[in-house]
């Protein structure tokens, strides 16, 4: 299954999702496609005329352009998701988009998408981390039953 992860660039969550045989939906892949796309010929912007329009599907015109730009990549991932894992209160090093408005909108759209969601709080100890990994494993294994 395709599993949306939040924070959207968390390599730790992506690795766990892949280990259980699912596809992590993360912003790194969307950005990678833009960087490697031969049709986009004006780095470092790496945007097309259509990208701002895509962002408008997820965020109103009054929303700052940076939020719309991020949502032009994150929004389609949410639309594609069949499940989601959200790690709340994660520190910057865990994987942070860096824009709280984007983060709020992302979590709202995931909740509204009606896919199975695992909500977690970032662990504060090694023991908590083991519990979190176990919860993620059970969630991902449970997705296999829903196929």
């Amino acid at each position: 299954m395709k599993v949306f992860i939040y924070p959207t660039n968390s390599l730790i969550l992506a690795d766990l999702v892949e280990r259980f045989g699912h596809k992590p939906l993360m912003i790194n892949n969307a950005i990678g496609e833009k960087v490697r796309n031969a049709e986009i010929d004006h780095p470092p912007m790496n945007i097309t005329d259509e990208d701002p329009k895509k962002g408008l599907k997820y965020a109103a015109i009054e929303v700052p352009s940076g939020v719309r730009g991020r949502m032009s990549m994150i929004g389609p991932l949410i639309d594609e998701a069949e499940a989601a894992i959200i790690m709340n209160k994660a520190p910057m090093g865990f994987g942070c988009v860096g824009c709280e408005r984007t983060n709020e909108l992302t979590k709202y759209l995931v909740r509204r998408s009606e896919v199975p969601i695992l909500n977690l709080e970032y662990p504060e100890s090694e023991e908590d981390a083991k519990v979190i990994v176990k919860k993620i494993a059970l969630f991902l294994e449970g997705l296999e039953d829903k196929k």
Side-chain angles (χ1 to χ4, degrees):
M1 290 185 97
K2 297 175 184 176
V3 181
F4 180 81
I5 58 172
Y6 174 87
T8 58
N9 61 345
S10 171
L11 296 175
I12 295 167
L13 289 178
D15 181 61
L16 284 170
V17 169
E18 284 180 338
R19 285 176 190 240
F20 285 91
H22 300 284
K23 178 183 178 187
L25 299 175
M26 57 190 301
I27 199 168
N28 303 35
N29 298 339
I31 292 170
E33 287 176 23
K34 290 196 167 296
V35 171
R36 290 185 294 275
N37 187 340
E39 292 178 19
I40 299 176
D41 59 356
H42 45 19
M45 288 178 45
N46 291 341
I47 64 169
T48 66
D49 296 340
E50 295 301 311
D51 288 335
K53 294 175 191 171
K54 285 181 192 173
L56 284 171
K57 177 180 177 185
Y58 306 99
I61 191 72
E62 295 86 9
V63 172
S65 61
V67 173
R68 284 194 317 275
R70 288 177 186 94
M71 292 312 298
S72 72
M73 290 186 285
I74 296 170
L77 297 175
I78 295 170
D79 291 345
E80 191 179 345
E82 298 170 291
I85 298 174
I86 297 176
M87 181 71 70
N88 294 300
K89 299 181 182 175
M92 290 289 261
F94 186 76
C96 180
V97 175
C99 173
E100 190 56 32
R101 297 300 162 248
T102 301
N103 295 339
E104 290 172 8
L105 182 56
T106 297
K107 289 191 277 189
Y108 168 74
L109 291 174
V110 170
R111 284 192 309 269
R112 201 175 79 178
S113 70
E114 299 181 7
V115 298
I117 301 170
L118 177 62
N119 277 293
L120 303 166
E121 295 294 318
Y122 187 81
E124 297 192 16
S125 69
E126 186 175 333
E127 204 53 46
D128 290 346
K130 290 176 184 177
V131 171
I132 295 273
V133 170
K134 180 79 170 165
K135 286 180 180 180
I136 291 171
L138 290 172
F139 176 75
L140 294 172
E141 288 169 355
L143 294 177
E144 289 296 320
D145 299 335
K146 294 179 182 180
K147 278 188 175 180

